[in-house]
Amino acid sequence: MSEELTPKAAESVRMHAPVAAIAAIGRHEGESVILHGWLYNLRESGKLLFPIFRDGTGVIQGVAHVKSVPPAVFDALKNLTQESSVVVQGKVRADKRAPGGYELDIEDLQVVQRVPEADPFPITLKEHGVDFLMERRHLWLRTPRQSAILRIRAEIMRAAAEYFDANGFIRTDPPILTPAACEGTSTLFPVDYFGDPAYLTQSGQLYAEATALALGKVYSFGPTFRAEKSKTRRHLTEFWMIEPEVAFMDLDGLLELAENFLSHIVQSVLKNRGAELEAIGRDLSKLQNIAPPFPRLRYDEAAEMLNQAHKKGELEQPFEYGNDFGSPDETWLSAQFDRPVMVHRYPAHVKAFYMEPDPEDSRYALCVDVLAPEGYGEIIGGSQRVSSFELLNARIAEHNLPKDAFEWYLDLRRYGSVPHSGFGMGIERVVAWICALDHVRETIPFPRTLHRMYP
């Protein structure tokens, strides 16, 4: 029984019992099932073996007594090495003490591939340094914590799309290759496009504006790229962004959209991935009260709060009015609230060229940054967009942007322009917040940072 399986032999094992996933093992209590998976860990106590198996959906502990299984099966189990792939058959038994509430009384085993002891799986249960783990990210993903984070990430992405799909938004996909910058050329990756200059997209927003004026309510969802030479725990050079855009929506409507959207995501994760949140040690109480309304602060109010914090010694540097907020500022502000806080109406000169000025005071832009609580900082940035052809044309000139590349964008103001608004939400920053991670590098399967493009 301990020999490695050929495909035909593996097929024969499936005939003995139904195949089950560990995540749904409770549906088979008292039944024999077959699991396809890998050995995560093995503990021995006298004549008892306690292998822990994983299958991509979860982990479960098996139990085998030397007299309860054939000798060949017991020996095969005893000699399994970490990450050996197996097909295991056993009876599901409820046990409140076990992770997930169930154990597997092992009946049979087939080894698909045994990892050789001479070349063992490199990531053991002991502590490893970050560099060691990142060099082996392709294997680190198999550990229960990293797998749980990726399942939470998938739920965040599913819930994000679900919210827009359920509320009349149409998904439209913008190009990844673009002829011009959206928010400044210093953060772009250049590409040679058949001899002409092009760039990897830093946002799908401009194209979403075009589709919003065709379809009313749209969203885009895809990879984006920023060439900032940043080493902070919040930055990746490649990340995923979801960007809604709505015709005939002002800033107030955008704030309401953002808080309902974020609340839906958090509540969906709590409902569908509570076990994963508990597995990574997340304090669920910090997420349970994420619900509208979110607190709102004008930029001026936030700036005053930061300077008061500096006077009290809570911040090292005073905040210089007129600047954009840095990471320490966002961290402190967001830590003052138990739910995301919306900071709106920043000085126009620190924001992008396409943002509509406040009609009550044109020194300010009709924009918003949504800062996640617990010090996680900005997760959403958005605005009402400039709707005037004349103003947008002047802004493009002020920012020294190539007008030829933006003629199509100006057309949106030439032909039936309307007030419209949208925002961008970086998936990885939301994963970091919801999972309470110290660094954004654990939020995506294969992170790309300033000094890492391997594996």
Side-chain angles (χ1 to χ4, degrees), residues 235-266:
H235 284 86
L236 295 168
T237 57
E238 178 183 348
F239 58 98
W240 281 68
M241 187 130 73
I242 190 163
E243 298 178 273
E245 197 76 27
V246 186
F248 295 98
M249 177 174 277
D250 61 11
L251 180 64
D252 289 337
L254 190 69
L255 300 185
E256 185 177 346
L257 174 65
E259 65 186 359
N260 289 332
F261 171 65
L262 270 178
S263 299
H264 174 78
I265 289 173
V266 173

Side-chain angles (χ1 to χ4, degrees), residues 51-212:
I52 297 176
F53 300 105
R54 65 172 192 86
D55 72 345
T57 73
V59 296
I60 190 169
Q61 179 172 276
V63 181
H65 190 275
V66 68
K67 293 184 178 180
S68 68
V69 296
V73 171
F74 191 85
D75 289 343
L77 271 171
K78 189 172 182 177
N79 289 293
L80 279 181
T81 48
Q82 186 184 358
E83 286 304 307
S84 292
S85 47
V86 298
V87 178
V88 60
Q89 179 175 312
K91 183 173 288 187
V92 180
R93 173 171 46 82
D95 188 332
K96 293 181 180 178
R97 300 167 299 175
Y102 297 93
E103 286 189 339
L104 192 71
D105 290 326
I106 294 173
E107 299 169 332
D108 202 352
L109 174 80
Q110 293 280 359
V111 180
V112 179
Q113 192 232 356
R114 182 178 181 273
V115 175
E117 293 175 17
D119 188 17
F121 189 71
I123 300 174
T124 64
L125 300 183
K126 70 177 184 179
E127 290 291 326
H128 295 285
V130 171
D131 286 343
F132 178 92
L133 293 171
M134 292 306 300
E135 285 290 311
R136 296 158 182 84
R137 180 66 174 166
H138 53 295
L139 302 177
W140 189 24
L141 295 176
R142 301 183 187 187
T143 62
R145 176 180 171 83
Q146 297 304 312
S147 295
I149 291 169
L150 292 189
R151 283 192 284 269
I152 293 167
R153 173 193 170 93
E155 176 62 23
I156 289 169
M157 297 177 83
R158 187 205 65 79
E162 175 186 67
Y163 179 86
F164 291 131
D165 291 342
N167 284 278
F169 287 71
I170 304 299
R171 178 168 177 167
T172 61
D173 298 317
I176 290 175
L177 292 170
T178 65
C182 175
E183 297 181 4
T185 55
S186 63
T187 62
L188 288 168
F189 285 108
V191 178
D192 184 329
Y193 192 70
F194 302 110
D196 292 327
Y199 305 93
L200 296 180
T201 183
Q202 58 188 184
S203 168
Q205 175 209 313
L206 305 190
Y207 296 96
E209 288 185 52
T211 54

Side-chain angles (χ1 to χ4, degrees), residues 166-397:
N167 284 278
F169 287 71
I170 304 299
R171 178 168 177 167
T172 61
D173 298 317
I176 290 175
L177 292 170
T178 65
C182 175
E183 297 181 4
T185 55
S186 63
T187 62
L188 288 168
F189 285 108
V191 178
D192 184 329
Y193 192 70
F194 302 110
D196 292 327
Y199 305 93
L200 296 180
T201 183
Q202 58 188 184
S203 168
Q205 175 209 313
L206 305 190
Y207 296 96
E209 288 185 52
T211 54
L213 297 186
L215 300 169
K217 297 196 295 185
V218 302
Y219 72 101
S220 64
F221 203 171
T224 50
F225 306 85
R226 300 287 173 94
E228 295 169 280
K229 293 187 176 180
S230 175
K231 299 179 182 179
T232 78
R233 63 188 180 93
R234 296 178 184 170
H235 284 86
L236 295 168
T237 57
E238 178 183 348
F239 58 98
W240 281 68
M241 187 130 73
I242 190 163
E243 298 178 273
E245 197 76 27
V246 186
F248 295 98
M249 177 174 277
D250 61 11
L251 180 64
D252 289 337
L254 190 69
L255 300 185
E256 185 177 346
L257 174 65
E259 65 186 359
N260 289 332
F261 171 65
L262 270 178
S263 299
H264 174 78
I265 289 173
V266 173
Q267 297 308 316
S268 292
V269 173
L270 284 169
K271 177 182 176 182
N272 298 319
R273 292 299 178 188
E276 283 82 0
L277 290 170
E278 291 181 2
I280 65 176
R282 183 58 158 124
D283 182 352
L284 301 187
S285 67
K286 301 286 189 181
L287 300 173
Q288 286 164 348
N289 51 346
I290 305 299
F294 292 173
R296 290 158 164 74
L297 290 176
R298 288 186 67 103
Y299 171 91
D300 290 8
E301 296 172 298
E304 177 60 25
M305 288 174 64
L306 290 169
N307 281 320
Q308 290 298 322
H310 170 66
K311 290 177 182 178
K312 295 175 183 177
E314 297 174 17
L315 283 172
E316 289 187 15
Q317 300 292 332
F319 180 71
E320 186 174 340
Y321 186 88
N323 286 346
D324 205 350
F325 297 130
S327 290
D329 306 316
E330 291 180 350
T331 297
W332 186 89
L333 281 170
S334 64
Q336 309 311 304
F337 302 90
D338 66 350
R339 63 196 66 194
V341 57
M342 297 174 149
V343 183
H344 58 95
R345 290 175 170 81
Y346 286 66
H349 74 271
V350 298
K351 289 298 182 180
F353 74 96
Y354 51 73
M355 294 187 179
E356 184 77 47
D358 188 343
E360 296 181 5
D361 190 337
S362 61
R363 294 175 301 169
Y364 298 92
L366 294 179
C367 62
V368 62
D369 284 351
V370 182
L371 311 181
E374 302 175 74
Y376 278 89
E378 181 191 342
I379 53 175
I380 280 178
S383 71
Q384 186 172 327
R385 319 307 192 187
V386 169
S387 57
S388 160
F389 172 88
E390 290 76 18
L391 179 56
L392 183 61
N393 194 35
R395 286 280 180 82
I396 289 171

